[in-house]
Amino acid sequence: MARNEEKAQSMLYRFREAQAAELGLGTRADRRPKMASACKSLRECERWRGEILRELSRKVSKIQDAGLTDYEVRDVNDEINKLMREKRHWENQIIALGGANYRRNVAMLDDDGKEVPGTKGYKYFGRAKDLPGVRELFQSKKQEEEEENQALAFYKKFTNQGPAYFGDLDEADGKLLEYERQAEEEEWRDEYTTVRETLNLPLDDPIPPIPRGSSASSSPLPSNGPSPPQPPVNAKRKAQEEDIEMDTVDAEETAPDQAKRPRKAESDGTAKADVIPSNGGADSIRTHANAAAAYLGFLSPEDLMPPTLPTREEMEGVLLALRKQALVEEYFGE
């Protein structure tokens, strides 16, 4: 039997060793470490990264073989992804040792210039893209992108529209306002006639015009009679100044009385939560309540009067009673 030294010198052994070196397998003493962080030499890291790139090139070429079954294609694709992860670990170790940065985030694009799905995380190469479960994945991604593009193209025509699109210029020519005014007057006449028929009132009386506000009265309306004379502007200003002066004098006269009333109430010891300024206010409230009760038969004037607020002494008495009840329940129970 030949010795190991003699076997190492044989032609077949040398051929196998050269073939293993070409394939990147190497001998047992010269195998790639499983942990990239265990290698502390930058040159060795570069060497192992180059070896992984050669293995990747062979695997990618192998996965294009049409004679492989679907199971073999899946296995080869898994091996390629495993080598890609290992290559990333070696690149991180190279960066940690101060070497070149090979990790450049370059997106994989298809023929249309769009990013290929599956470029982040698990990737598919060659015939792996045509596998039964993967083909639907790529088609669904492409269909979703087409639907998004169609929706964007549909709504894009509604963007950047002018004020005419939103109806802001409909009242510029005045036709719409005139049409609305005519419709409003016609509806007013119909409703007024309906009310007369309901109340059995004569229908021959003329229908009064629509009571419009100040904004509507400023708009040009047809009128048969002459317009009433307008008071001069200076007269309006004088009347407003006189009103302001009268209000100021009244406020100065009533201020001392209001300042004296709280002091008088405090001296008597009968301070209330709500102080009515004068008897005239209570009389006016009573008058309004009687007038409202005349129209509302199911309510009395007392129901329409404002509620009477409790005094401070009454509130303190209620709180004291509640506190006593809580103490009794705490110490003696219910």
Side-chain angles (χ1 to χ4, degrees):
M1 181 178 292
R3 300 177 182 178
N4 294 332
E5 292 81 0
E6 296 176 358
K7 291 180 181 179
Q9 299 297 329
S10 64
M11 186 63 67
L12 179 60
Y13 185 83
R14 291 181 181 180
F15 174 74
R16 291 294 185 185
E17 187 178 358
Q19 189 179 15
E22 183 181 356
L23 295 175
L25 300 177
T27 60
R28 287 189 177 181
D30 193 17
R31 286 184 179 179
R32 185 169 64 244
K34 293 185 179 299
M35 297 293 295
S37 58
C39 184
K40 303 300 180 182
S41 175
L42 180 60
R43 184 175 180 181
E44 292 294 326
C45 293
E46 295 279 358
R47 173 192 170 190
W48 298 129
R49 180 181 176 275
E51 181 179 339
I52 292 173
L53 290 177
R54 288 191 292 272
E55 291 184 18
L56 281 172
S57 178
R58 287 194 297 271
K59 297 290 184 181
V60 171
S61 300
K62 183 179 179 181
I63 204 172
Q64 305 290 344
D65 189 3
L68 297 177
T69 62
D70 293 346
Y71 298 101
E72 294 176 348
V73 171
R74 291 182 187 275
D75 294 339
V76 175
N77 195 77
D78 292 339
E79 294 175 2
I80 293 175
N81 282 272
K82 183 179 179 181
L83 290 173
M84 293 289 290
R85 288 194 300 270
E86 191 175 355
K87 180 176 74 73
R88 184 167 60 252
H89 294 328
W90 284 106
E91 289 173 353
N92 291 335
Q93 182 65 13
I94 291 173
I95 295 173
L97 295 176
N101 184 9
Y102 296 103
R103 297 191 60 183
R104 298 183 179 88
N105 295 325
V106 180
M108 298 177 62
L109 305 178
D110 56 3
D111 298 337
D112 299 332
K114 298 180 181 179
E115 186 175 357
V116 177
T119 55
K120 297 179 181 179
Y122 193 86
K123 301 178 179 60
Y124 296 94
F125 299 89
R127 285 190 55 200
K129 298 179 182 180
D130 298 332
L131 292 174
V134 182
R135 189 186 302 111
E136 287 77 6
L137 175 64
F138 282 87
Q139 291 178 356
S140 62
K141 291 286 185 181
K142 190 173 183 180
Q143 185 177 1
E144 289 178 2
E145 292 179 359
E146 291 179 356
E147 291 178 357
E148 291 178 0
N149 295 334
Q150 291 177 1
L152 180 61
F154 177 76
Y155 288 107
K156 192 174 182 180
K157 59 185 178 182
F158 298 106
T159 58
N160 300 327
Q161 297 292 337
Y165 176 78
F166 300 97
D168 296 339
L169 302 180
D170 293 344
E171 301 178 358
D173 53 356
K175 295 181 179 180
L176 180 61
L177 295 176
E178 184 64 26
Y179 175 78
E180 291 178 352
R181 187 179 294 108
Q182 294 176 1
E184 186 180 8
E185 292 177 355
E186 183 178 355
E187 186 178 0
W188 169 265
R189 289 192 295 267
D190 295 342
E191 295 295 334
Y192 201 86
T193 305
T194 304
V195 171
R196 284 184 173 180
E197 293 177 354
T198 305
L199 300 177
N200 295 325
L201 298 177
L203 303 177
D204 299 335
D205 296 341
I207 299 176
I210 302 176
R212 301 181 183 275
S214 59
S215 60
S217 61
S218 60
S219 59
L221 292 175
S223 58
N224 298 329
S227 60
Q230 297 289 339
V233 180
N234 296 331
K236 289 184 178 180
R237 291 180 180 175
K238 290 180 180 180
Q240 292 177 358
E241 291 176 359
E242 291 177 358
D243 294 340
I244 294 172
E245 291 178 359
M246 291 297 293
D247 295 340
T248 306
V249 172
D250 295 341
E252 292 177 354
E253 291 178 356
T254 56
D257 298 338
Q258 294 178 356
K260 292 177 182 179
R261 284 170 188 160
R263 294 179 183 177
K264 186 177 180 181
E266 290 175 1
S267 62
D268 296 341
T270 58
K272 297 184 179 180
D274 189 8
V275 179
I276 299 177
S278 63
N279 294 330
D283 296 339
S284 61
I285 293 174
R286 172 67 66 176
T287 304
H288 287 297
N290 293 331
Y295 290 98
L296 303 174
F298 57 91
L299 292 176
S300 62
E302 286 74 12
D303 296 334
L304 299 175
M305 290 292 291
T308 303
L309 300 178
T311 61
R312 184 174 181 179
E313 289 77 6
E314 294 175 353
M315 292 295 296
E316 291 178 354
V318 172
L319 295 175
L320 181 60
L322 292 175
R323 192 175 303 171
K324 288 180 180 180
Q325 183 180 358
L327 291 174
V328 170
E329 293 178 355
E330 182 179 357
Y331 291 99
F332 300 102
E334 298 180 357

